[in-house]
Amino acid sequence: MVEPTENNLPPRWADKLLRFFLPDELAEELQGDMHEQFEHQAEQLGFTKARWLYVWEVLRFCRPYFLKRRFLAKLNSLKDYYFLINPIMLSNYLKIAFRNLMRAKSFMFINISGLAVGIAACTLIILWIQDELQYDRFYEKTNRLYQVYNKDIFSGVPQVWESTPRPLATAMKQDYADIEETARFRSAELMLSTGDKKMNAGGAFVDPSFLYLFDFPLKSGNAQSVLAGNNGIVITETLAEKLFGTTQAIGKVVQIDNKESFSVTGVLADLPRNSKFGQVTYLLPYNYFVNLGWGSDAWESNNDYTYVLLKDRADEAAVNQKIRSLTANHLKGVIDDVSNRQIFLHPASKWYLYSKPENGQLVEGRIVTVRLFGLIAIFILLIAAVNFINLSTARSEKRAKEVGVRKVAGAQKISLVLQFIGESVLLTFFAGIIALLLVGLSLPFFNQLTGKTLALHFNSPYFWLLALGVLLFTGVLAGFYPAFFLANFQPSKVLKGALRSQRAAFTPRKILVVVQFTFAIVLIVSTLIISRQIDYAQNRDKGYNQNNLLFAVLSGNLPAHYDALQQALTESGAVTAMSKSLGPMTYVNLRQWGVSWPGSTTADKDIEFNRFGTDAGFLKTTGTQLLAGREIDVRKYPTDSTALLLNETAVKTMRLKNPIGASVKFHNTEWHVVGVVKDFVYASPFDAIKPALIEGPGGPVSLGWLSIRLNPANPLASNLAVLEKIFAKYNQAYPFEYFFADESYKAKFANEQQTGTLTGLFTGLTIFIACLGLFGLAAYTAQQRTKEVGIRKVLGAPVISLVQLLTRDFIRLLLVAFVIGAPIGWYIMEKWLQDYNYRIVVGAGVFVLTLASALFIVLVSVGFQAIKAALVNPVKSLKSE
C-alpha cells in the first residue's frame, strides 16, 4: 500500500474550490466519488496524470449556476435574522431596555453617573490633546517649514541650540537650490507710544519673507509689501485696539522708544495661542534692527532664529547632509575647533512636541505628557465601562429568570445579546447628554487651569460624528461582556433556581475590580510623586533672598540719570539696596565659551559659563552669601570695572585652589577675581547649578537692568507708589514696569504644576468613578448575602465581624491591585524623573501613603453598605420570600 503524501493525493486547492461552488450536501457526496475515481486513474495512468484529470473534473463543476444557488441559500438563511433588526424589533428592544432601567433606578443612577463623569473627563482630555497636537501644525506650508538648529560638542557633552548667526539665512538661500525661502526672527521688547498712550509690548524684528513662510491672516495690508520698507510696522488687532481704539489703523503712526516713528502698514489677526509666535503683538523690519547697529554679522555670534521653507519634493535628509558644515566652514580660523559644529533642520510639526535637547539631538519632550494624558483618558473610560460590566453581571440573578423565560418562549441568543447591548447603548447615550452638560459647565474652569481656549464645536458635523462614535463604542464596550454573559444562561438551570454566584478565587468580575484598582493605584502614585518633586524643587535653597526683590529695565533716560535715581530711591526709604545688572538673576543673562584661566586647557574652552553683571551692592541687593574675598564695588575700587565674582561651581570647574586674584580671560578682556559667592539658583530649579561669572561693568555688554531691594518695614503698595513717582521724575516718557523675583521663580514651575494639577484632577475623577462602582457592587454583594448575615447575627456574630465579612474580599482585591499597580506607577515616574537633575528619591513613604489612601477609599465606599447590611434586623432578613 502506498503511503499518502502531497504528491499522491488530489490537490487540496481543487477540493476547496469544489466545496466553494457546490452546496455542502452535494459537494460531500460528489467529492467521495471523485476521490475513488482518482485512486483508480492513479493505478492506471500514474499520480501526475491523475491529478491533472482531477483538476479538470473539478473545473467542469465550477458553473455560475451552482454559485448562484449557494448565494441564494445564504441569502435565505439571513432572512431568518431580519426580524431581529427590523424597526419594530428595535423599538421593542428600546422599550424593554427603558423599562428595565426604570425598575433598577439605583443601578441606572450609578452607571449613568460613572459613565457621564468618565465621558466628560475623557472629552476634556481629548480637547486638550487635540489643541496640543495642533501646535505649529496649522500653517499652509507646515510640511515644508523648518527651523535651523546648531549642534556641537562642549567638554565631551553633545549640545544643541536654536540661536543662529545673522548671515546664515542669506547664505542658505543663495547657496542651496532646495531652499525656496528663509526668514530671520529676533524677539523684541520695546515701548510703543501714540499720543498719550504708552506701553511696553513684545514683538519681533523679521525679514519681509516671514509672512510668506507663516501665513498669519492680515486683516488689512498686503503681505508682500507690509515689511518691505524700513519704517513700517505690522500690529495685531488687540494691539491696534489698545493704541488707537480701533482696528482700522493703516497709516497711523507709532513711535518706538520715543525715537523713531513707524507707519502702520498692516493689521494682523491676533496670532494663535498654539503657535510659538503667540506672544508676538507687532512685527518690525529686520533691516531697521541692522541699521541701528544692533547685533553682529559675525558667524560666531548666535542671536537670531532662522526659519527655512524647502521647495516642493525637496528631501529633508538630503538638505541636512548638504548644509551640515555651512557654519563650520565660515568659522574656520575664528574658533579653535570646528570639527563637530553642524547645523540641521527641525520640522515645524515637531517644534512643540519633539524639542527636548538630549545628547546633541532633539527628542521627545512635550509629547510624553500628551501620551500620559491620552493613557489617563483611556483609563478613565475603561474604569467607567468596568463599573457597568461589574454591576450588570452582579445583577445577573435578577435577570436570569427573564432570560430563561424568553429562551423557552423561543428567543434566540442573538436577540438577547442585541437587547442587552441596546440597554447599554441607551444608558450610555443618557450619560453622554449629561457629559456634554458637564463639559460645558467645566470648560471655563478647565481653560483657566490649562491656559487654553478650548471649546465644543456644536456646529461641526465632525464633532457629532465623533461624539456618536465615542458613545456607541463606549456603549458596546461596556455592554458586550454582560450581554453574552446573560445570554448564555441555560433555561433548565435558571428556571430550577440552580443558578449560583461564582465563589472562585478569581472570577471575571474580581479581575475587573483588580484592573480598576490597579489604574487608581498607578494614578495615585503618579500624583504623589509629581507633587513631591515640585515641592522638593520649590523648597530648594535658592542661594539668595527672593522677598522684596524686584527687577526693572534701565530704559530711556535712566542710564544718564542713574546716580540721581539711586540717591533719590535710597533717600526715599522705600529701597534698602540697588545695583545695575546684565539682567534678572532669575534667568541666565548671557552664556560664554572660550574662557581661559591659569592652568586651563584647550578642552576647558568648551565649558559653558553663565554670565551676570553688577556695578556695586550685588550682595546686599540680592541677599547672596559671600564665601571668600569681597564683592564688586566700582565706586570704592575703580579697577573693579573688570572684576569678577565666581560661584562655588565655577571655582570647582576651574580647579582653582586660591581663586582670589586669579586672572580670567574671555571676550578679549582680562578679568581679575575678587570674590566667591555661594551657588544660587538662576536657571531651572530642577537642574544642577552651572558655573557662573558675575562681572563688573567693563565688559562689551552694558548693564541694562536694575535689581532693587524694597524696604520690608514699609507696606508693599507704599514702596511701589514711591518708586513709580521717582521713576516718572527721571524717565517721564516711559511707563514704570517691573516684576518680582519670587513671581519669576514661581513661573519656572508652570509646566510641572500644570501636569501635577491635571493629573491630580483626573486621578480624583478616576477615584470617584471607581467609588461609585464599588458602592453599587457592595450593595448587591450585601443583598446576595442577606440571609447569611441574618443567620450569623442570630448565632451571635457581632456587627464588626459582619462588616469584616462583607469588606474583606474587596480589601484582598485591593492588595492584589496594589502589588500590580505600585511597581507600574514607580516605573512610569522613574522614567519621568530622569528628565530632572535635581530630583527626589522615591521612597517607601509614597507607597505607604498610596496604600493607606486606597484602603480608606475602599472602606468608605464599601463600609457604608456593609454596616447597613449588618444592622438589619435578622427577623426581617430571614423572612421567606
Side-chain angles (χ1 to χ4, degrees):
M1 185 176 179
V2 180
E3 185 71 22
T5 65
E6 287 289 334
N7 294 325
N8 57 25
L9 289 174
R12 290 185 180 179
W13 64 267
D15 283 343
K16 291 180 180 179
L17 186 64
L18 188 67
R19 287 187 174 276
F20 176 78
F21 270 88
L22 299 183
D24 292 339
E25 64 279 1
L26 181 60
E28 186 175 353
E29 181 180 351
L30 186 62
Q31 194 174 43
D33 295 339
M34 291 178 65
H35 274 233
E36 289 183 7
Q37 184 180 358
F38 171 80
E39 292 175 1
H40 177 72
Q41 290 176 337
E43 292 177 359
Q44 300 293 324
L45 305 172
F47 285 109
T48 302
K49 194 168 183 179
R51 287 167 67 88
W52 280 106
L53 291 172
Y54 186 88
V55 170
W56 172 248
E57 290 295 329
V58 168
L59 293 176
R60 288 178 61 195
F61 282 103
C62 295
R63 299 174 185 176
Y65 164 77
F66 288 117
L67 192 60
K68 179 181 178 182
R69 181 178 171 185
R70 186 178 183 85
F71 173 75
L72 291 174
K74 289 288 184 182
L75 194 62
N76 286 329
S77 65
L78 290 175
K79 289 180 180 178
D80 296 336
Y81 295 96
Y82 169 72
F83 77 94
L84 297 175
I85 57 173
N86 69 62
I88 296 175
M89 287 304 296
L90 289 175
S91 174
N92 184 50
Y93 293 151
L94 288 174
K95 286 179 183 177
I96 295 173
F98 187 74
R99 289 169 185 166
N100 282 320
L101 292 176
M102 288 298 102
R103 288 195 199 105
K105 291 183 176 63
S106 59
F107 165 80
M108 181 178 69
F109 173 78
I110 290 173
N111 271 310
I112 287 181
S113 299
L115 284 171
V117 173
I119 294 170
C122 190
T123 301
L124 290 174
I125 294 174
I126 289 172
L127 288 173
W128 182 85
I129 290 175
Q130 183 184 32
D131 186 79
E132 292 283 298
L133 293 178
Q134 287 177 347
Y135 258 81
D136 288 315
R137 295 187 178 191
F138 52 83
Y139 310 115
E140 185 181 335
K141 308 177 184 73
T142 295
N143 61 333
R144 296 194 288 137
L145 275 174
Y146 297 84
Q147 183 177 359
V148 184
Y149 273 74
N150 278 299
K151 64 179 178 180
D152 205 339
I153 297 176
F154 298 106
S155 303
V157 179
Q159 297 198 23
V160 58
W161 67 98
E162 60 182 337
S163 54
T164 55
R166 177 187 289 176
L168 179 63
T170 304
M172 293 181 75
K173 184 179 178 182
Q174 289 177 349
D175 298 343
Y176 299 96
D178 290 326
I179 295 176
E180 180 179 332
E181 190 57 88
T182 60
R184 292 168 293 191
F185 179 95
R186 182 75 172 259
S187 59
E189 185 76 26
L190 302 171
M191 192 193 75
L192 310 183
S193 59
T194 175
D196 295 333
K197 294 181 180 178
K198 297 179 175 65
M199 65 184 69
N200 288 321
F205 297 99
V206 297
D207 285 319
S209 54
F210 180 81
L211 290 177
Y212 175 69
L213 270 67
F214 303 96
D215 39 67
F216 297 118
L218 273 169
K219 295 297 183 179
S220 305
N222 187 330
Q224 296 178 350
S225 60
V226 287
L227 293 169
N230 291 337
N231 63 343
I233 182 172
V234 180
I235 60 177
T236 61
E237 287 184 297
T238 298
L239 184 58
E241 287 280 0
K242 290 179 180 178
L243 290 172
F244 306 110
T246 176
T247 58
Q248 304 302 314
I250 297 294
K252 296 184 183 295
V253 177
V254 179
Q255 200 170 35
I256 304 293
D257 281 347
N258 286 323
K259 297 174 184 176
E260 300 285 342
S261 294
F262 284 78
S263 175
V264 176
T265 55
V267 178
L268 279 169
D270 289 343
L271 273 58
R273 295 173 66 93
N274 56 350
S275 164
K276 71 184 305 178
F277 310 109
Q279 302 302 315
V280 172
T281 59
Y282 60 86
L283 300 174
L284 288 166
Y286 190 86
N287 284 341
Y288 170 69
F289 176 79
V290 176
N291 293 339
L292 288 175
W294 294 350
S296 170
D297 286 327
W299 279 87
E300 68 270 25
S301 178
N302 295 283
N303 293 303
D304 294 337
Y305 297 148
T306 302
Y307 298 98
V308 168
L309 178 68
L310 295 186
K311 290 182 178 178
D312 281 329
R313 300 180 182 176
D315 182 65
E316 176 190 338
V319 175
N320 273 327
Q321 188 64 31
K322 293 175 185 177
I323 68 171
R324 60 185 300 180
S325 301
L326 177 58
T327 54
N329 293 335
H330 286 276
L331 288 172
K332 288 178 180 177
V334 179
I335 60 176
D336 294 336
D337 184 10
V338 298
S339 59
N340 296 306
R341 178 66 63 91
Q342 295 179 15
I343 60 172
F344 65 94
L345 302 179
H346 188 48
S349 58
K350 294 185 176 181
W351 287 348
Y352 182 69
L353 299 174
Y354 298 85
S355 289
K356 177 188 169 187
E358 185 177 285
N359 198 31
Q361 303 291 330
L362 294 173
V363 298
E364 296 178 340
R366 185 70 172 177
I367 190 65
V368 175
T369 304
V370 173
R371 289 172 183 163
L372 170 65
F373 283 105
L375 286 174
I376 290 175
I378 294 171
F379 286 173
I380 291 175
L381 205 57
L382 284 176
I383 287 174
V386 165
N387 273 358
F388 184 90
I389 294 169
N390 280 340
L391 292 176
S392 296
T393 54
R395 291 178 67 244
S396 58
E397 288 186 12
K398 290 184 176 293
R399 305 292 300 273
K401 289 185 179 180
E402 175 195 343
V403 172
V405 171
R406 288 168 66 87
K407 278 194 170 184
V408 168
Q412 296 183 22
K413 179 180 176 181
I414 186 66
S415 69
L416 294 172
V417 169
L418 287 175
Q419 179 197 326
F420 293 131
I421 288 181
E423 289 182 18
S424 171
V425 172
L426 179 64
L427 189 143
T428 304
F429 271 85
F430 287 151
I433 294 170
I434 297 173
L436 281 179
L437 295 174
L438 291 175
V439 171
L441 292 172
S442 60
L443 260 181
F445 163 75
F446 191 69
N447 282 334
Q448 185 179 4
L449 183 65
T450 59
K452 296 182 181 292
T453 53
L454 307 176
L456 292 172
H457 302 287
F458 293 111
N459 58 344
S460 170
Y462 296 106
F463 167 79
W464 292 109
L465 285 174
L466 180 62
L468 290 173
V470 169
L471 292 178
L472 192 61
F473 171 77
T474 306
V476 173
L477 175 69
F480 188 80
Y481 173 71
F484 280 91
F485 177 80
L486 292 168
N488 278 328
F489 285 158
Q490 297 179 15
S492 57
K493 291 184 177 180
V494 167
L495 298 177
K496 287 179 181 178
L499 186 67
R500 293 288 181 267
S501 300
Q502 292 175 289
R503 305 290 293 171
F506 284 102
T507 63
R509 193 184 313 152
K510 290 180 179 179
I511 291 171
L512 289 173
V513 171
V514 169
V515 169
Q516 213 172 26
F517 281 150
T518 301
F519 289 160
I521 294 293
V522 170
L523 290 175
I524 293 171
V525 169
S526 301
T527 302
L528 290 175
I529 292 176
I530 291 172
S531 176
R532 291 196 174 192
Q533 172 65 11
I534 294 172
D535 290 342
Y536 183 65
Q538 285 179 329
N539 297 325
R540 180 181 186 180
D541 182 11
K542 302 164 191 67
Y544 65 97
N545 183 6
Q546 291 182 345
N547 298 326
N548 296 300
L549 177 62
L550 64 79
F551 308 107
V553 180
L554 267 172
S555 57
N557 297 323
L558 290 180
H561 299 103
Y562 174 69
D563 291 335
L565 175 71
Q566 184 180 37
Q567 183 178 353
L569 289 173
T570 304
E571 291 176 354
S572 70
V575 171
T576 58
M578 64 181 290
S579 68
K580 288 183 181 180
S581 60
L582 282 173
M585 69 179 301
T586 52
Y587 295 97
V588 175
N589 294 175
L590 292 171
R591 290 181 171 86
Q592 184 67 50
W593 291 272
V595 180
S596 62
W597 60 89
S600 65
T601 64
T602 303
D604 289 331
K605 290 188 176 182
D606 290 337
I607 297 174
E608 178 188 318
F609 289 82
N610 294 315
R611 289 168 56 192
F612 299 84
T614 184
D615 60 339
F618 178 79
L619 298 179
K620 187 177 180 181
T621 303
T622 62
T624 310
Q625 184 180 346
L626 184 70
L627 299 180
R630 61 175 177 83
E631 72 170 322
I632 295 172
D633 190 339
V634 292
R635 297 181 184 83
K636 190 174 181 180
Y637 306 100
T639 57
D640 275 5
S641 59
T642 56
L644 273 186
L645 294 173
L646 306 178
N647 71 346
E648 293 174 276
T649 303
V651 174
K652 294 174 184 176
T653 302
M654 299 166 82
R655 306 177 298 279
L656 295 175
K657 294 183 179 180
N658 299 301
I660 308 302
S663 177
V664 179
K665 294 181 180 179
F666 59 89
H667 258 319
N668 300 319
T669 304
E670 186 169 334
W671 307 79
H672 59 284
V673 178
V674 297
V676 177
V677 298
K678 183 180 179 180
D679 281 344
F680 57 92
V681 180
Y682 53 84
S684 170
F686 301 102
D687 291 341
I689 296 174
K690 292 185 178 180
L693 310 172
I694 302 140
E695 62 191 58
V701 182
S702 61
L703 305 181
W705 282 76
L706 283 177
S707 300
I708 300 174
R709 171 73 58 186
L710 299 180
N711 190 344
N714 302 330
L716 178 61
S718 173
N719 284 335
L720 292 176
V722 171
L723 262 67
E724 186 171 2
K725 183 177 179 181
I726 295 174
F727 269 77
K729 177 182 177 181
Y730 292 101
N731 201 30
Q732 188 174 4
Y734 286 77
F736 173 55
E737 294 189 350
Y738 58 89
F739 63 90
F740 286 95
D742 54 353
E743 293 175 350
S744 176
Y745 188 79
K746 185 180 179 181
K748 296 175 184 290
F749 298 91
N751 284 336
E752 285 74 17
Q753 282 182 327
Q754 187 184 90
T755 301
T757 304
L758 290 176
T759 305
L761 171 65
F762 292 120
T763 298
L765 292 177
T766 301
I767 291 171
F768 171 75
I769 296 168
C771 286
L772 282 176
L774 283 177
F775 185 83
L777 204 56
Y780 284 109
T781 302
Q783 192 174 17
Q784 286 176 339
R785 304 181 74 173
T786 299
K787 292 190 176 181
E788 177 188 349
V789 170
I791 293 169
R792 287 178 180 272
K793 201 167 184 182
V794 168
L795 294 175
V799 172
I800 186 67
S801 69
L802 296 175
V803 172
Q804 289 174 352
L805 173 72
L806 294 172
T807 57
R808 66 188 179 193
D809 283 346
F810 292 100
I811 292 174
R812 286 171 183 166
L813 295 176
L814 170 64
L815 294 176
V816 172
F818 178 79
V819 171
I820 298 170
I824 295 173
W826 172 84
Y827 177 79
I828 293 171
M829 285 295 99
E830 273 295 310
K831 289 288 185 183
W832 181 75
L833 287 171
Q834 285 176 4
D835 291 340
Y836 303 103
N837 293 316
Y838 190 79
R839 47 164 288 184
I840 62 170
V841 176
V842 180
V846 169
F847 302 103
V848 171
L849 185 57
T850 299
L851 182 58
S853 303
L855 280 170
F856 175 77
I857 291 165
V858 170
L859 290 174
V860 169
S861 302
V862 178
F864 174 78
Q865 294 290 357
I867 293 171
K868 181 181 176 182
L871 293 176
V872 171
N873 190 330
V875 174
K876 190 175 181 180
S877 60
L878 293 174
K879 274 185 180 180
S880 174
E881 295 180 4

